[in-house]
Coordinates of all heavy atoms in Angstrom, one line a residue:
M11 N 178.6 -16.0 42.5 CA 179.7 -15.0 42.8 C 180.4 -14.7 41.4 O 180.8 -15.6 40.7 CB 180.6 -15.5 43.8 CG 181.8 -14.6 44.1 SD 182.8 -15.1 45.4 CE 182.0 -14.2 46.7
E12 N 180.7 -13.5 41.2 CA 181.4 -13.1 40.0 C 182.9 -13.0 40.3 O 183.3 -12.6 41.4 CB 180.9 -11.7 39.5 CG 179.4 -11.7 39.1 CD 179.1 -10.5 38.3 OE1 179.9 -10.1 37.5 OE2 178.0 -10.0 38.5
S13 N 183.7 -13.3 39.3 CA 185.1 -13.1 39.5 C 185.5 -11.8 38.8 O 184.8 -11.2 38.1 CB 185.8 -14.3 38.9 OG 185.6 -14.4 37.5
F14 N 186.7 -11.4 39.1 CA 187.3 -10.2 38.5 C 188.7 -10.4 38.2 O 189.4 -11.2 38.8 CB 187.1 -9.0 39.5 CG 187.6 -9.2 40.9 CD1 188.9 -8.9 41.2 CD2 186.7 -9.8 41.8 CE1 189.3 -9.1 42.5 CE2 187.2 -10.0 43.1 CZ 188.5 -9.7 43.4
Q15 N 189.2 -9.6 37.2 CA 190.6 -9.7 36.7 C 191.5 -8.6 37.2 O 192.7 -8.7 37.0 CB 190.6 -9.8 35.2 CG 189.8 -11.0 34.7 CD 190.4 -12.3 35.1 OE1 191.6 -12.5 35.2 NE2 189.5 -13.2 35.5
S16 N 190.9 -7.5 37.7 CA 191.7 -6.4 38.2 C 190.9 -5.6 39.3 O 189.8 -5.8 39.5 CB 191.9 -5.4 37.0 OG 190.7 -4.8 36.6
A17 N 191.7 -4.7 39.9 CA 191.1 -3.9 41.0 C 190.0 -3.0 40.5 O 189.0 -2.8 41.1 CB 192.2 -3.2 41.7
D18 N 190.2 -2.5 39.2 CA 189.2 -1.6 38.7 C 187.9 -2.4 38.4 O 186.8 -1.8 38.7 CB 189.7 -1.1 37.3 CG 190.8 0.0 37.5 OD1 190.8 0.6 38.6 OD2 191.6 0.1 36.6
V19 N 187.9 -3.6 37.9 CA 186.7 -4.4 37.7 C 186.1 -4.7 39.1 O 184.9 -4.6 39.2 CB 187.1 -5.7 37.0 CG1 185.9 -6.6 36.9 CG2 187.6 -5.4 35.6
R20 N 186.9 -5.0 40.1 CA 186.4 -5.3 41.4 C 185.6 -4.1 42.0 O 184.6 -4.2 42.5 CB 187.5 -5.7 42.4 CG 187.0 -6.1 43.8 CD 188.2 -6.5 44.6 NE 188.0 -6.2 46.0 CZ 188.3 -5.1 46.6 NH1 188.8 -4.1 45.9 NH2 188.1 -4.9 47.8
R21 N 186.2 -2.9 41.9 CA 185.6 -1.7 42.4 C 184.3 -1.4 41.6 O 183.3 -1.0 42.2 CB 186.6 -0.5 42.2 CG 187.5 -0.4 43.4 CD 188.2 1.0 43.4 NE 188.8 1.4 42.2 CZ 190.0 1.0 41.7 NH1 190.7 0.2 42.5 NH2 190.5 1.4 40.6
T22 N 184.3 -1.7 40.3 CA 183.0 -1.5 39.5 C 181.9 -2.4 40.0 O 180.8 -2.0 40.2 CB 183.3 -1.7 38.0 OG1 184.3 -0.8 37.6 CG2 182.1 -1.5 37.2
L23 N 182.3 -3.7 40.3 CA 181.3 -4.7 40.8 C 180.8 -4.2 42.2 O 179.6 -4.3 42.5 CB 181.9 -6.1 40.9 CG 182.2 -6.7 39.6 CD1 183.0 -8.0 39.8 CD2 180.9 -7.0 38.8
L24 N 181.7 -3.8 43.1 CA 181.3 -3.3 44.4 C 180.4 -2.1 44.3 O 179.4 -2.0 45.1 CB 182.5 -3.1 45.3 CG 183.3 -4.3 45.8 CD1 184.6 -3.8 46.5 CD2 182.4 -5.1 46.7
S25 N 180.7 -1.2 43.5 CA 179.9 0.0 43.4 C 178.5 -0.2 42.8 O 177.6 0.6 42.9 CB 180.6 1.1 42.6 OG 180.8 0.7 41.3
A26 N 178.4 -1.3 42.1 CA 177.1 -1.7 41.4 C 176.1 -2.4 42.4 O 174.9 -2.5 42.0 CB 177.3 -2.6 40.2
L27 N 176.5 -2.7 43.6 CA 175.7 -3.3 44.6 C 174.5 -2.4 45.0 O 174.8 -1.2 45.1 CB 176.4 -3.7 45.8 CG 177.5 -4.9 45.6 CD1 178.3 -5.0 46.9 CD2 176.8 -6.2 45.2
D28 N 173.3 -2.9 45.2 CA 172.2 -2.0 45.5 C 172.5 -1.2 46.8 O 172.1 -0.1 46.9 CB 171.0 -2.9 45.8 CG 170.5 -3.6 44.5 OD1 171.0 -3.3 43.4 OD2 169.6 -4.4 44.7
F29 N 173.1 -1.8 47.8 CA 173.3 -1.1 49.0 C 174.8 -0.7 49.2 O 175.2 -0.5 50.3 CB 172.9 -2.1 50.2 CG 173.6 -3.4 50.2 CD1 174.9 -3.5 50.7 CD2 173.1 -4.5 49.5 CE1 175.5 -4.8 50.7 CE2 173.7 -5.7 49.5 CZ 174.9 -5.8 50.1
G30 N 175.5 -0.7 48.1 CA 176.9 -0.5 48.1 C 177.4 0.9 48.6 O 176.6 1.9 48.6
L31 N 178.6 1.0 49.0 CA 179.2 2.3 49.3 C 179.5 3.0 48.0 O 179.9 2.4 47.0 CB 180.5 2.1 50.1 CG 180.3 1.6 51.5 CD1 181.6 1.1 52.0 CD2 179.8 2.7 52.4
S32 N 179.4 4.3 47.9 CA 179.7 5.0 46.7 C 181.2 5.0 46.4 O 182.1 4.7 47.3 CB 179.2 6.5 46.8 OG 179.9 7.1 47.8
N33 N 181.6 5.3 45.2 CA 183.0 5.3 44.7 C 183.8 6.4 45.4 O 185.0 6.3 45.5 CB 183.1 5.5 43.2 CG 182.7 4.2 42.5 OD1 182.9 3.1 43.0 ND2 182.2 4.4 41.3
D34 N 183.2 7.4 46.0 CA 183.9 8.5 46.6 C 184.6 8.1 47.9 O 185.4 8.9 48.5 CB 183.1 9.8 46.8 CG 181.9 9.6 47.8 OD1 181.5 8.4 48.0 OD2 181.5 10.6 48.3
V35 N 184.3 7.0 48.5 CA 184.9 6.6 49.7 C 186.2 5.7 49.5 O 186.8 5.3 50.5 CB 183.9 5.8 50.6 CG1 182.8 6.7 51.1 CG2 183.4 4.6 50.0
W36 N 186.6 5.5 48.3 CA 187.9 4.8 48.0 C 189.0 5.8 48.3 O 189.0 6.9 47.8 CB 187.9 4.3 46.6 CG 187.1 3.1 46.4 CD1 186.0 3.0 45.7 CD2 187.4 1.7 46.8 NE1 185.5 1.7 45.7 CE2 186.4 0.9 46.4 CE3 188.5 1.2 47.6 CZ2 186.4 -0.4 46.7 CZ3 188.4 -0.2 47.8 CH2 187.4 -1.0 47.4
I37 N 190.0 5.3 48.9 CA 191.3 6.1 49.2 C 192.4 5.4 48.4 O 192.6 4.2 48.6 CB 191.6 6.2 50.7 CG1 190.4 6.9 51.4 CG2 192.9 7.0 50.9 CD1 190.5 6.8 52.9
E38 N 193.2 6.2 47.7 CA 194.3 5.6 46.9 C 195.6 6.1 47.6 O 195.8 7.2 47.9 CB 194.3 6.1 45.5 CG 193.1 5.6 44.7 CD 193.1 6.1 43.3 OE1 194.2 6.2 42.7 OE2 192.0 6.4 42.8
D39 N 196.4 5.1 47.9 CA 197.7 5.4 48.5 C 198.8 4.9 47.6 O 199.0 3.7 47.4 CB 197.8 4.7 49.9 CG 199.0 5.0 50.6 OD1 199.9 5.7 50.1 OD2 199.1 4.6 51.8
Y40 N 199.6 5.9 47.0 CA 200.6 5.6 46.1 C 202.0 5.5 46.7 O 203.0 5.3 46.0 CB 200.7 6.7 45.0 CG 199.5 6.8 44.2 CD1 198.6 7.9 44.4 CD2 199.2 6.0 43.2 CE1 197.4 8.0 43.7 CE2 198.0 6.1 42.4 CZ 197.2 7.1 42.7 OH 196.0 7.3 42.0
S41 N 202.1 5.5 48.0 CA 203.4 5.6 48.7 C 204.0 4.3 48.9 O 205.2 4.2 49.3 CB 203.2 6.3 50.1 OG 202.4 5.5 50.9
H42 N 203.4 3.2 48.6 CA 203.9 1.9 48.8 C 204.8 1.4 47.6 O 204.5 1.7 46.4 CB 202.8 0.8 49.0 CG 202.1 1.1 50.3 ND1 202.6 0.9 51.5 CD2 200.9 1.7 50.5 CE1 201.7 1.3 52.4 NE2 200.6 1.8 51.8
S43 N 205.9 0.7 47.9 CA 206.8 0.3 46.8 C 206.2 -0.8 45.9 O 206.7 -1.0 44.8 CB 208.1 -0.1 47.4 OG 207.9 -1.2 48.3
F44 N 205.2 -1.5 46.4 CA 204.6 -2.6 45.6 C 203.5 -2.2 44.7 O 203.0 -3.0 44.0 CB 204.1 -3.7 46.6 CG 203.1 -3.3 47.6 CD1 201.8 -3.2 47.2 CD2 203.5 -2.9 48.8 CE1 200.8 -2.8 48.1 CE2 202.5 -2.6 49.8 CZ 201.2 -2.5 49.4
G45 N 203.1 -0.9 44.7 CA 202.0 -0.4 43.9 C 201.0 0.4 44.6 O 201.2 0.8 45.8
T46 N 199.9 0.7 44.0 CA 198.9 1.5 44.6 C 198.0 0.6 45.5 O 197.6 -0.5 45.2 CB 198.0 2.1 43.5 OG1 198.8 2.8 42.6 CG2 196.9 3.0 44.1
L47 N 197.7 1.2 46.7 CA 196.9 0.5 47.7 C 195.5 1.3 47.7 O 195.5 2.5 47.8 CB 197.5 0.5 49.0 CG 196.8 0.0 50.2 CD1 196.5 -1.5 50.0 CD2 197.5 0.3 51.5
Y48 N 194.4 0.5 47.5 CA 193.1 1.1 47.6 C 192.4 0.6 48.9 O 192.4 -0.6 49.1 CB 192.3 0.7 46.4 CG 192.8 1.2 45.1 CD1 193.7 0.4 44.3 CD2 192.4 2.4 44.6 CE1 194.2 0.9 43.1 CE2 192.9 2.9 43.4 CZ 193.8 2.1 42.6 OH 194.2 2.5 41.4
Y49 N 191.8 1.5 49.6 CA 191.1 1.1 50.8 C 190.0 2.1 51.1 O 189.9 3.1 50.4 CB 192.0 1.0 52.0 CG 192.8 2.2 52.4 CD1 192.3 3.1 53.4 CD2 194.0 2.6 51.7 CE1 193.0 4.2 53.7 CE2 194.7 3.7 52.1 CZ 194.2 4.5 53.1 OH 194.9 5.7 53.4
R50 N 189.1 1.8 52.0 CA 188.0 2.6 52.3 C 188.2 3.2 53.7 O 188.8 2.7 54.6 CB 186.7 1.8 52.3 CG 186.3 1.4 50.9 CD 185.0 0.7 50.9 NE 184.6 0.2 49.7 CZ 183.8 0.8 48.8 NH1 183.4 2.0 49.1 NH2 183.5 0.3 47.7
D51 N 187.5 4.4 53.9 CA 187.5 5.1 55.2 C 186.8 4.2 56.2 O 185.6 3.9 56.0 CB 186.9 6.4 55.0 CG 186.9 7.3 56.3 OD1 186.6 6.7 57.4 OD2 187.2 8.5 56.2
K52 N 187.4 3.8 57.3 CA 186.8 2.9 58.3 C 185.5 3.6 58.9 O 184.6 2.8 59.2 CB 187.8 2.5 59.3 CG 188.4 3.6 60.1 CD 189.4 3.1 61.1 CE 190.2 4.3 61.6 NZ 191.5 3.9 62.1
F53 N 185.5 4.9 59.1 CA 184.3 5.5 59.7 C 183.1 5.5 58.8 O 182.0 5.3 59.2 CB 184.7 6.9 60.2 CG 185.7 6.9 61.3 CD1 187.0 7.4 61.1 CD2 185.4 6.4 62.6 CE1 187.9 7.3 62.1 CE2 186.3 6.3 63.6 CZ 187.6 6.8 63.3
K54 N 183.4 5.7 57.5 CA 182.3 5.6 56.5 C 181.8 4.2 56.4 O 180.6 4.0 56.2 CB 182.7 6.2 55.2 CG 182.9 7.7 55.2 CD 183.2 8.2 53.8 CE 183.3 9.7 53.9 NZ 183.4 10.3 52.6
C55 N 182.6 3.2 56.5 CA 182.2 1.8 56.5 C 181.3 1.5 57.7 O 180.3 0.8 57.6 CB 183.4 0.9 56.4 SG 184.3 0.9 54.9
I56 N 181.7 2.0 58.9 CA 180.9 1.8 60.1 C 179.6 2.4 60.0 O 178.5 1.9 60.3 CB 181.7 2.2 61.3 CG1 182.9 1.4 61.6 CG2 180.8 2.3 62.6 CD1 183.9 1.9 62.6
Q57 N 179.6 3.7 59.5 CA 178.3 4.4 59.3 C 177.4 3.6 58.3 O 176.2 3.5 58.5 CB 178.6 5.8 58.7 CG 177.4 6.6 58.5 CD 177.7 7.9 57.9 OE1 178.7 8.1 57.2 NE2 176.9 8.9 58.1
F58 N 178.0 3.1 57.2 CA 177.3 2.3 56.3 C 176.6 1.1 56.9 O 175.4 0.8 56.7 CB 178.2 1.8 55.2 CG 177.7 0.8 54.3 CD1 176.9 1.1 53.2 CD2 178.1 -0.5 54.4 CE1 176.4 0.1 52.4 CE2 177.6 -1.5 53.6 CZ 176.7 -1.2 52.6
L59 N 177.3 0.4 57.8 CA 176.8 -0.8 58.4 C 175.7 -0.5 59.4 O 174.7 -1.2 59.5 CB 177.9 -1.6 59.2 CG 178.9 -2.3 58.3 CD1 180.1 -2.8 59.1 CD2 178.3 -3.4 57.5
L60 N 175.8 0.6 60.1 CA 174.8 1.0 61.1 C 173.5 1.5 60.4 O 172.4 1.4 61.0 CB 175.4 2.1 62.0 CG 176.5 1.7 62.9 CD1 177.1 2.9 63.7 CD2 176.0 0.6 63.9
V61 N 173.6 2.1 59.3 CA 172.4 2.6 58.6 C 171.6 1.5 57.9 O 170.4 1.6 57.8 CB 172.9 3.7 57.6 CG1 171.7 4.2 56.7 CG2 173.4 4.9 58.4
H62 N 172.2 0.5 57.4 CA 171.6 -0.5 56.6 C 171.0 -1.6 57.4 O 171.7 -2.3 58.1 CB 172.5 -1.1 55.5 CG 172.7 -0.1 54.4 ND1 173.6 0.9 54.5 CD2 172.1 0.0 53.2 CE1 173.6 1.7 53.4 NE2 172.7 1.1 52.6
L63 N 169.7 -1.8 57.3 CA 169.0 -2.8 58.1 C 169.4 -4.2 57.7 O 169.2 -5.2 58.5 CB 167.5 -2.6 58.0 CG 166.9 -1.3 58.5 CD1 165.4 -1.2 58.3 CD2 167.2 -1.2 60.0
H64 N 169.9 -4.4 56.5 CA 170.3 -5.8 56.1 C 171.3 -6.4 57.1 O 171.4 -7.6 57.2 CB 171.0 -5.7 54.7 CG 170.2 -5.2 53.6 ND1 169.1 -5.8 53.1 CD2 170.2 -4.0 52.9 CE1 168.5 -5.1 52.2 NE2 169.2 -4.0 52.0
F65 N 172.1 -5.6 57.7 CA 173.2 -6.0 58.6 C 172.8 -6.0 60.1 O 173.6 -6.4 60.9 CB 174.4 -5.2 58.4 CG 174.9 -5.2 57.0 CD1 174.8 -4.1 56.2 CD2 175.5 -6.3 56.4 CE1 175.2 -4.1 54.9 CE2 175.9 -6.3 55.1 CZ 175.7 -5.2 54.3
Q66 N 171.6 -5.5 60.4 CA 171.2 -5.3 61.7 C 171.3 -6.6 62.6 O 171.8 -6.5 63.7 CB 169.7 -4.8 61.8 CG 169.3 -4.4 63.2 CD 167.8 -3.9 63.1 OE1 167.1 -4.2 62.2 NE2 167.5 -3.0 64.1
A67 N 170.9 -7.7 62.1 CA 171.0 -9.0 62.8 C 172.4 -9.4 63.1 O 172.7 -10.3 64.0 CB 170.2 -10.1 62.1
H68 N 173.4 -8.9 62.4 CA 174.8 -9.3 62.5 C 175.6 -8.3 63.3 O 176.8 -8.5 63.5 CB 175.4 -9.5 61.1 CG 174.6 -10.4 60.3 ND1 174.7 -11.8 60.4 CD2 173.8 -10.2 59.2 CE1 173.9 -12.3 59.5 NE2 173.3 -11.4 58.8
L69 N 175.0 -7.3 63.9 CA 175.7 -6.3 64.7 C 175.6 -6.6 66.1 O 174.5 -6.9 66.6 CB 175.2 -4.9 64.3 CG 175.4 -4.4 62.9 CD1 174.8 -3.0 62.7 CD2 176.9 -4.3 62.5
E70 N 176.6 -6.4 66.9 CA 176.6 -6.6 68.3 C 177.1 -5.4 69.0 O 178.2 -4.9 68.7 CB 177.6 -7.8 68.7 CG 177.6 -8.2 70.1 CD 176.3 -8.9 70.5 OE1 175.8 -9.7 69.8 OE2 175.8 -8.5 71.6
F71 N 176.3 -4.8 69.9 CA 176.6 -3.5 70.6 C 177.1 -3.7 72.0 O 177.6 -2.8 72.6 CB 175.4 -2.6 70.5 CG 175.1 -2.2 69.1 CD1 174.0 -2.7 68.5 CD2 175.8 -1.2 68.5 CE1 173.7 -2.4 67.2 CE2 175.5 -0.8 67.2 CZ 174.4 -1.4 66.5
D72 N 176.9 -4.9 72.5 CA 177.4 -5.2 73.9 C 178.8 -5.8 73.9 O 179.2 -6.4 72.9 CB 176.4 -6.1 74.6 CG 175.0 -5.5 74.8 OD1 175.0 -4.3 75.0 OD2 174.0 -6.3 74.6
P73 N 179.5 -5.6 75.0 CA 180.8 -6.2 75.0 C 180.7 -7.8 74.9 O 179.8 -8.4 75.4 CB 181.4 -5.9 76.4 CG 180.6 -4.7 76.8 CD 179.2 -4.8 76.2
V74 N 181.6 -8.4 74.2 CA 181.6 -9.8 73.9 C 182.9 -10.4 74.4 O 184.0 -9.9 74.0 CB 181.3 -10.1 72.4 CG1 181.4 -11.6 72.2 CG2 180.0 -9.5 72.0
G75 N 182.8 -11.4 75.2 CA 184.0 -12.1 75.7 C 184.4 -13.2 74.7 O 183.6 -14.0 74.3
L76 N 185.6 -13.2 74.2 CA 186.1 -14.2 73.3 C 187.1 -15.2 74.1 O 187.9 -14.7 74.9 CB 186.9 -13.6 72.2 CG 186.1 -12.6 71.3 CD1 187.0 -12.0 70.2 CD2 184.9 -13.3 70.7
T77 N 186.9 -16.4 73.9 CA 187.8 -17.4 74.6 C 188.5 -18.2 73.5 O 188.1 -18.4 72.4 CB 186.9 -18.4 75.4 OG1 186.0 -19.1 74.6 CG2 186.2 -17.6 76.5
D78 N 189.7 -18.7 73.9 CA 190.5 -19.5 73.0 C 189.9 -20.9 73.0 O 189.4 -21.4 74.0 CB 191.9 -19.6 73.5 CG 192.7 -18.3 73.4 OD1 192.3 -17.5 72.5 OD2 193.6 -18.0 74.2
S79 N 189.9 -21.5 71.8 CA 189.3 -22.8 71.7 C 190.4 -23.9 72.0 O 191.5 -23.8 71.8 CB 188.9 -23.1 70.2 OG 187.9 -22.1 69.9

């Protein structure tokens, strides 16, 4: 696993992944008092997961009941 020193380096590492999301799906929000918030469009992320067969075994389409341990 690679480490990173800034959000820019992290975004560069994520965009370099073979199956990665493109850089155009990053959303920048400057309205927060603590700095800039970067996030991705949740619908594009869902679309990404549904299209890539790498994640097929990890997707669940039926309702799942969760119980407290």
Side-chain angles (χ1 to χ4, degrees):
M11 175 174 270
E12 294 194 41
S13 62
F14 51 90
Q15 299 299 318
S16 70
D18 289 332
V19 173
R20 182 178 150 274
R21 277 195 308 278
T22 301
L23 290 171
L24 288 173
S25 66
L27 294 174
D28 294 352
F29 56 87
L31 292 163
S32 62
N33 284 332
D34 66 334
V35 294
W36 284 106
I37 300 168
E38 296 180 35
D39 186 350
Y40 299 103
S41 64
H42 297 284
S43 60
F44 58 84
T46 305
L47 176 65
Y48 296 91
Y49 59 97
R50 292 185 182 264
D51 182 317
K52 60 187 165 201
F53 295 110
K54 289 187 180 187
C55 291
I56 292 169
Q57 180 183 27
F58 167 80
L59 289 172
L60 292 175
V61 171
H62 284 82
L63 296 177
H64 301 289
F65 303 108
Q66 187 176 26
H68 304 286
L69 297 175
E70 185 69 45
F71 294 102
D72 295 324
V74 176
L76 302 177
T77 60
D78 293 332
S79 301

